[in-house]
């Protein structure tokens, strides 16, 4: 069964460094999302992406963050100048259509020291 | 704005018994979707079941069913014949549907379910 994949599964970085989290959505899906989950807290929406553009972003998704679909399969989240509070699990999700179920990847656990 | 409320403390159920996990939501939208996801200790988010606001029938997927009461704005998940592997965190989520935009999910804070042998 097709699934969303994410790499790396774990990332440790120093405060102030840049990280790139990678996702490969399900191949026929057109809508892509990033969410994050700070330890012990609920899952929060960051950004949605369609047709090579951001569709919607939350107030969390400030200038520190960017997303890109560099080729036909990858979808990336870049976090510039990481802060301690960026430590979280980051989930990528994709859906076939706008109103279809979003399927989540296994997540990347980011730890900023 | 949409809001999902999951207020139950940690839930416990005996293996092979049924359990209901509560979810209430608040929205002024007429067209929306409700979802349940399971998050085991390994951390991934697994889609379980979906209910559309215009669906007349309650959704079912194997051992999972959704008790949808639109007037009460509740969407409780029922797990029948609990298994040890059902021990996990369960999240209720919703999205609103409107033209020309991706449907972001709004999540509740989750409920921990522990299945006892």
């Amino acid at each position: 069964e097709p699934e969303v994949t994410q790499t790396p599964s774990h990332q440790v970085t120093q405060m102030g460094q840049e990280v790139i989290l990678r996702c490969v959505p399900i191949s026929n899906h057109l809508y892509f999302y990033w969410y994050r989950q700070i330890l012990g807290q609920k899952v929060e929406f960051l950004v949605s992406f369609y047709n090579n553009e951001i569709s919607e972003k939350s107030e969390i998704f400030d200038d520190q963050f960017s997303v890109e679909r560099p080729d036909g399969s990858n979808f990336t989240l870049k976090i510039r100048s990481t802060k301690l509070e960026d430590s979280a699990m980051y989930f990528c999700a994709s859906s076939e259509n706008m109103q279809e179920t979003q399927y989540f990847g296994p997540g990347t656990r980011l730890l900023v020291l | 704005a949409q809001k999902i409320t999951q207020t139950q403390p940690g839930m416990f159920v005996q293996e092979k018994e049924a359990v209901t996990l509560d979810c209430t939501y608040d929205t002024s939208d007429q067209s929306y979707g409700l979802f349940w996801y399971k998050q085991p200790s390994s951390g991934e988010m697994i889609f379980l079941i979906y209910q559309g606001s215009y669906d007349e029938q309650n959704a079912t997927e194997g051992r999972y069913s959704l008790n949808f009461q639109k007037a009460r704005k509740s969407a409780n998940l029922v797990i029948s014949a609990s298994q040890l592997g059902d021990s996990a965190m369960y999240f209720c989520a919703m999205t609103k549907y409107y033209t020309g935009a991706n449907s972001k999910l709004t999540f509740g804070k989750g409920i921990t379910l522990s299945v006892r042998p």
Side-chain angles (χ1 to χ4, degrees), chain A residues 31 35 37 55-56 91 98 102, chain B residues 37 39 43 101-103 105:
Chain A
Y31 295 81
Y35 293 83
Q37 183 183 30
S55 305
E56 186 176 359
F91 290 104
M98 192 186 310
Q102 293 178 30
Chain B
Y37 287 86
Q39 187 177 40
N102 287 27
S103 302
L105 289 170

Side-chain angles (χ1 to χ4, degrees), chain B residues 61-102:
Chain B
E61 287 284 350
R63 293 187 299 110
Y64 304 109
S65 60
L66 202 152
N67 184 0
F68 179 48
Q69 298 188 42
K70 193 170 182 177
R72 296 181 60 189
K73 293 188 176 178
S74 74
N76 299 339
L77 176 70
V78 180
I79 305 175
S80 62
S82 298
Q83 302 172 356
L84 295 178
D86 294 334
S87 295
M89 180 79 88
Y90 289 80
F91 289 94
C92 180
M94 76 175 297
T95 185
K96 65 178 179 180
Y97 297 138
Y98 53 100
T99 304
N102 287 27

Side-chain angles (χ1 to χ4, degrees), chain B residues 27-72:
Chain B
T27 183
S28 56
D29 301 295
Q30 296 301 309
S31 182
Y32 53 88
L34 295 154
F35 302 81
W36 278 90
Y37 287 86
K38 172 184 177 182
Q39 187 177 40
S41 56
S42 50
E44 69 266 35
M45 294 287 286
I46 302 167
F47 165 71
L48 295 178
I49 196 166
Y50 161 79
Q51 179 86 40
S53 59
Y54 292 114
D55 292 342
E56 305 253 333
Q57 306 273 355
N58 285 344
T60 60
E61 287 284 350
R63 293 187 299 110
Y64 304 109
S65 60
L66 202 152
N67 184 0
F68 179 48
Q69 298 188 42
K70 193 170 182 177
R72 296 181 60 189

